[in-house]
Amino acid sequence: MPVREWGDPDSSAPGILLLQEIFGISPYIEQRAVDLAALGYYVVAPEIYWRLDDVDLDEDADDLLERAIATMQRLDWDQAVTDSVAALDYLRGRDRRTGLVGFCFGGGLAFNVAAVSPADALVSYYGSALPNLLHLAPDVTAPSLHHFGDADDYLSVDDVVAGLPGTEIHRYPGAGHAFDNPMPAFHDIDASVLAWKRTTDFLSRKLQGAA
């Protein structure tokens, strides 16, 4: 399975498994990986679509969203979980603390991975698959942080939040789905900045031992 890596794999730095949106490892996801590596993490982002043929997610295409949804619908979810667990095991191979960070599609995937292969921390941004995964909540033992926009058209946020007891949850008034993505159709800069600050503080506490 191809993976992208940021940081020094031979260091003792905490590792983060970064799980993509439906758009794949886009420049936006790459930038978030760079941001995390700059904070001292070793970051691995697996190519979740690697088993699929004919994946074309050109960011300049007018029908990018439709292409991305069609690509995701061809994906074998259980296999994607298995592949992601393998990437997490790779991170653990050097005896480091490990966290999961996922956006949209990757937010739900990270939650599922955490249920079957415990990590030291989980951050999920508006996990699109969460409504179908809430039965796994008792199995997610990692300290967890969830972000949701209150204007999300793809999730029933109230129902999802009710199914995530004992987790740290932040909701952002007026923000829609994928509010951290800088594409103009999605981006809410105020929610994005605040959520990222909360994310980095949470990861620092759970993975780097900051007070």
Side-chain angles (χ1 to χ4, degrees):
M1 176 174 58
V3 299
R4 311 273 187 93
E5 301 174 271
W6 293 261
D8 182 0
D10 296 319
S11 73
S12 60
I16 290 180
L17 182 65
L18 180 61
L19 295 173
Q20 66 189 47
E21 289 186 313
I22 61 172
F23 303 115
I25 303 179
S26 63
Y28 154 58
I29 294 297
E30 290 177 341
Q31 183 57 56
R32 280 307 187 207
V34 169
D35 296 339
L36 289 167
L39 294 173
Y41 300 102
Y42 170 52
V43 184
V44 169
E47 296 271 10
I48 299 299
Y49 294 152
W50 75 287
R51 295 179 184 273
L52 300 179
D53 296 327
D54 302 321
V55 175
D56 181 7
L57 297 177
D58 180 0
E59 284 218 325
D60 294 326
D62 293 336
D63 60 347
L64 173 61
L65 181 58
E66 290 78 6
R67 291 188 189 190
I69 291 172
T71 299
M72 182 189 64
Q73 289 173 342
R74 293 193 289 127
L75 188 71
D76 182 319
W77 178 268
D78 291 338
Q79 186 64 65
V81 171
T82 298
D83 286 345
S84 300
V85 169
L88 185 60
D89 288 342
Y90 168 76
L91 270 178
R92 289 194 184 107
R94 296 187 182 275
D95 192 27
R96 54 164 57 91
R97 295 180 66 77
T98 55
L100 294 154
V101 178
F103 296 87
C104 186
F105 160 74
L109 185 59
F111 182 82
N112 199 150
V113 170
V116 299
S117 186
D120 296 301
L122 164 67
V123 179
S124 173
Y125 278 71
Y126 34 79
S128 54
L130 284 175
N132 298 320
L133 299 173
L134 293 177
H135 64 285
L136 297 175
D139 299 321
V140 179
T141 58
S144 301
L145 169 62
H146 291 267
H147 301 291
F148 299 101
D150 273 343
D152 194 319
D153 292 329
Y154 295 88
L155 290 174
S156 174
V157 176
D158 288 339
D159 292 341
V160 172
V161 167
L164 297 170
T167 63
E168 183 177 340
I169 294 171
H170 294 284
R171 299 175 63 159
Y172 301 85
H177 195 71
F179 65 75
D180 191 56
N181 188 309
M183 289 184 185
F186 304 122
H187 200 213
D188 185 307
I189 188 168
D190 292 335
S192 175
V193 169
L194 180 56
W196 190 248
K197 176 65 164 58
R198 287 168 167 165
T199 292
T200 57
D201 287 350
F202 178 83
L203 291 173
S204 178
R205 294 195 307 270
K206 303 306 180 183
L207 299 182
Q208 296 181 326

